[in-house]
Amino acid sequence: MNAEQQQGEPRQDRDGTDGIRDAGTGSQQALTASDLPRALATDLMEQICDPKNLTRAYRRVRSNKGKPGVDGMTVYELADWLREHHEALTASLRDGTYRPQPVRGAQIRKPGGGQRQLGIPVVVDRLVQQAILQVLEPIFDPTFSDSSFGFRSGRSPHMALEQARQYVNREGREIVVDLDLEKFFDRVNHDILMSRLARRIGDKRLLRLIRRFLQAGLMQDGVCVAREEGTPQGGPLSPLLANVLLDDLDRELARRGHRFCRYADDCNIYVRSLAAGQRVMESVVRFLEKKLHLRVNREKSAVAAVGERKFLGHRLLLNGKLGISPKSVTRAKEKVRQVTRRNRGASLVQVIVELNRFLMGWVLYYRYAACRAELIRMDEWIRRKLRCYRLKQRKRGRSVASFLRKLGVPDRQASRLAASGKGPWRLANTPQAKSAMSTDWFAAQGLESLVLKYDSLRS
């Protein structure tokens, strides 16, 4: 061993792995008895290339659809490609010559502001990643913490919320240490992640391939940028890799006896006092930044009463119930505004179909929250937005008056209202417009009611 290795610097093997040296601390990692059988498995690539596994991966990629990568191939063209290149694909995986293509960069708006960087792999790379995921998930997932809920089969945000609720109401832990990891997926340290994978993966070919996926360039605006860190969101394998890395955080929190819930990179720790919360915040931030080389967003992280913070779009209330976070309501309204923007040119029926698709999924997610009064207000506001949209479509006063008459508004009232000079938003809140385009009228147009759906889910 040379001097550099004795000092604990990460050592990269010829095959692109980091051996069993921990790149985060420089210490040698001892494998436990339960780890050894998994680490000795050297035939994982054969399992990945098994025809049954590849067929299952193909069906999953096809069902997930998704946009093409940099090569332009769609999921619908993948079957024809596989018929011609199947043998070459599996041979390159087995002999270690498979090279992922660059991912196509895309940015989307984050709910809290800013941009989230996505990376869209080509369809063939998505197929390979899905095949890898299907082999690795049964190896890693059973070892993850019971307090980890994100990106795991059989676990859901509602399970995380229920566990958090029990910490608050049964154990009296009314203070939360709310940790926000800054651009987590963009800052994953490749060496540290590979060292964690090497604890359980003994197939060097697979470790080399995963590192190649991590280092695949990002193609954006016609320029391919090399990546030295991060695992872009968009590939099937990224969620599992995130959990592998953050499993170290889970184990450290459990070792310290903390009560916590983690959903992907969203982690809340529940304590009984502000002083305890501040101590926990400082020590956990040190662990994350020194051990895992992750950055904590100190502006968005906080120690506060549970009701002052949000977790998975909800608020934890001290009466044992869940509420909707105000920011979640604001984001839902913003989505409604986008669908009902006045210059769209889409028919009212089409707008209602799009709204139903979003709103029914939204209320399904918040079905355990005590929010009936909020949903009543939301229903009223949505109907007003739709009245405004419909009146705007009529454009001129005569057309508005004619429309209102057909819906039962007396001639004189309809004409006076249309000539009043009020804008569509103010007209939409008048008694005449409400009477013409009533709750029953909207139901006849196909609009689903949030509160009725909520009641049916709760009954």
Side-chain angles (χ1 to χ4, degrees):
M1 181 178 294
N2 59 35
E4 179 180 332
Q5 291 169 358
Q6 288 176 338
Q7 291 171 0
E9 292 297 320
R11 173 176 58 82
Q12 185 169 328
D13 294 344
R14 292 178 185 175
D15 61 3
T17 69
D18 299 306
I20 58 173
R21 179 170 297 280
D22 189 325
T25 63
S27 62
Q28 199 77 6
Q29 292 297 306
L31 296 176
T32 65
S34 62
D35 291 330
L36 282 171
R38 301 181 190 276
L40 292 176
T42 57
D43 65 341
L44 294 179
M45 193 60 78
E46 278 65 37
Q47 296 179 40
I48 290 166
C49 293
D50 182 273
K52 292 182 180 178
N53 185 56
L54 287 174
T55 298
R56 188 156 62 97
Y58 165 77
R59 289 173 178 165
R60 186 59 182 267
V61 170
R62 177 72 182 258
S63 66
N64 286 344
K65 299 180 181 179
K67 296 182 178 180
V70 295
D71 63 354
M73 184 190 297
T74 69
V75 293
Y76 306 106
E77 298 170 313
L78 181 58
D80 291 337
W81 187 93
L82 285 172
R83 289 189 190 97
E84 184 177 349
H85 299 95
H86 174 265
E87 291 185 5
L89 172 64
T90 55
S92 65
L93 290 171
R94 288 192 175 98
D95 64 24
T97 60
Y98 183 86
R99 297 279 177 178
Q101 295 188 52
V103 298
R104 182 165 67 85
Q107 291 190 337
I108 60 172
R109 282 181 55 192
K110 295 174 66 174
Q115 299 286 324
R116 175 177 286 118
Q117 179 68 60
L118 299 183
I120 305 171
V122 299
V123 175
V124 177
D125 285 347
R126 296 210 294 267
L127 171 74
V128 174
Q129 286 194 34
Q130 181 63 37
I132 294 172
L133 175 66
Q134 291 167 182
V135 171
L136 292 188
E137 197 168 47
I139 294 175
F140 283 94
D141 192 81
T143 69
F144 290 152
S145 168
D146 286 340
S147 294
S148 167
F149 296 91
F151 307 132
R152 298 182 64 188
S153 178
R155 290 177 166 255
S156 69
H158 296 118
M159 295 171 67
L161 288 163
E162 176 58 24
Q163 181 168 299
R165 196 177 65 83
Q166 292 191 23
Y167 291 152
V168 174
N169 295 289
R170 293 189 180 181
E171 301 183 21
R173 299 174 182 273
E174 299 178 359
I175 302 298
V176 62
V177 180
D178 187 358
L179 290 165
D180 184 273
L181 295 178
E182 185 176 320
K183 296 184 178 179
F184 167 73
F185 283 91
D186 297 335
R187 301 193 186 281
V188 169
N189 183 286
H190 291 174
D191 290 338
I192 296 176
L193 174 57
M194 291 306 303
S195 73
R196 272 44 175 186
L197 291 169
R199 293 173 182 174
R200 293 188 177 275
I201 299 175
D203 193 323
K204 300 292 185 179
R205 297 168 298 175
L206 180 53
L207 290 171
R208 283 195 298 268
L209 180 56
I210 292 174
R211 183 177 279 277
R212 286 172 186 164
F213 274 120
L214 290 173
Q215 295 178 334
L218 182 71
M219 182 73 74
Q220 195 153 2
D221 298 325
V223 178
C224 187
V225 180
R227 291 190 292 121
E228 301 299 329
E229 63 178 3
T231 170
Q233 300 177 70
L237 199 54
S238 291
L240 176 65
L241 297 181
N243 274 333
V244 168
L245 183 63
L246 289 175
D247 187 54
D248 273 24
L249 171 63
D250 298 342
R251 292 176 184 273
E252 180 65 16
L253 294 177
R255 185 186 67 80
R256 299 181 187 183
H258 290 311
R259 301 291 191 269
F260 70 97
C261 294
R262 182 177 65 79
Y263 195 94
D265 57 336
D266 195 351
C267 184
N268 279 4
I269 307 166
Y270 299 90
V271 297
R272 291 192 171 93
S273 70
L274 284 171
Q278 294 292 351
R279 290 195 299 271
V280 171
M281 174 69 82
E282 292 172 6
S283 63
V284 173
V285 167
R286 284 197 302 271
F287 174 84
L288 286 167
E289 295 185 343
K290 293 183 178 180
K291 175 87 177 205
L292 300 182
H293 295 188
L294 296 173
R295 189 179 301 172
V296 175
N297 188 326
R298 287 171 169 78
E299 292 183 0
K300 293 184 178 180
S301 301
V303 178
V306 290
E308 297 175 12
R309 305 295 293 180
K310 67 180 180 70
F311 182 48
L312 300 176
H314 291 72
R315 287 191 306 132
L316 295 171
L317 308 178
L318 297 183
N319 60 5
K321 296 181 180 180
L322 295 171
I324 298 183
S325 161
K327 287 186 178 179
S328 299
V329 175
T330 300
R331 288 198 295 269
K333 286 187 173 182
E334 181 58 33
K335 175 65 175 179
V336 173
R337 288 189 182 97
Q338 291 176 12
V339 175
T340 59
R341 62 188 185 276
R342 301 178 192 179
N343 60 351
R344 280 197 62 190
S347 68
L348 183 66
V349 171
Q350 181 181 339
V351 169
I352 287 175
V353 168
E354 292 181 29
L355 280 179
N356 285 341
R357 189 181 303 125
F358 165 70
L359 292 171
M360 293 304 100
W362 188 79
V363 75
L364 179 65
Y365 180 74
Y366 288 104
R367 64 188 181 276
Y368 298 117
C371 59
R372 195 174 191 277
E374 183 68 57
L375 295 180
I376 291 173
R377 290 191 291 270
M378 278 281 287
D379 270 339
E380 293 173 350
W381 180 81
I382 290 167
R383 288 193 294 269
R384 184 177 178 183
K385 289 293 293 182
L386 288 172
R387 289 189 199 103
C388 177
Y389 185 86
R390 189 69 184 96
L391 290 170
K392 179 65 176 177
Q393 285 184 322
R394 305 304 293 190
K395 297 182 179 179
R396 295 179 177 83
R398 285 186 181 181
S399 181
V400 169
S402 174
F403 173 69
L404 292 175
R405 289 190 201 101
K406 288 179 181 178
L407 295 180
V409 177
D411 279 356
R412 190 170 181 179
Q413 291 185 24
S415 299
R416 183 181 300 170
L417 188 66
S420 66
K422 295 179 180 178
W425 180 244
R426 290 181 64 194
L427 286 176
N429 202 39
T430 59
Q432 296 93 326
K434 288 182 177 180
S435 173
M437 292 176 278
S438 63
T439 302
D440 290 341
W441 185 83
F442 278 116
Q445 309 308 307
L447 180 65
E448 300 275 0
S449 165
L450 287 172
V451 73
L452 291 180
K453 181 66 174 180
Y454 176 79
D455 289 344
S456 69
L457 292 168
R458 303 272 292 188
S459 61

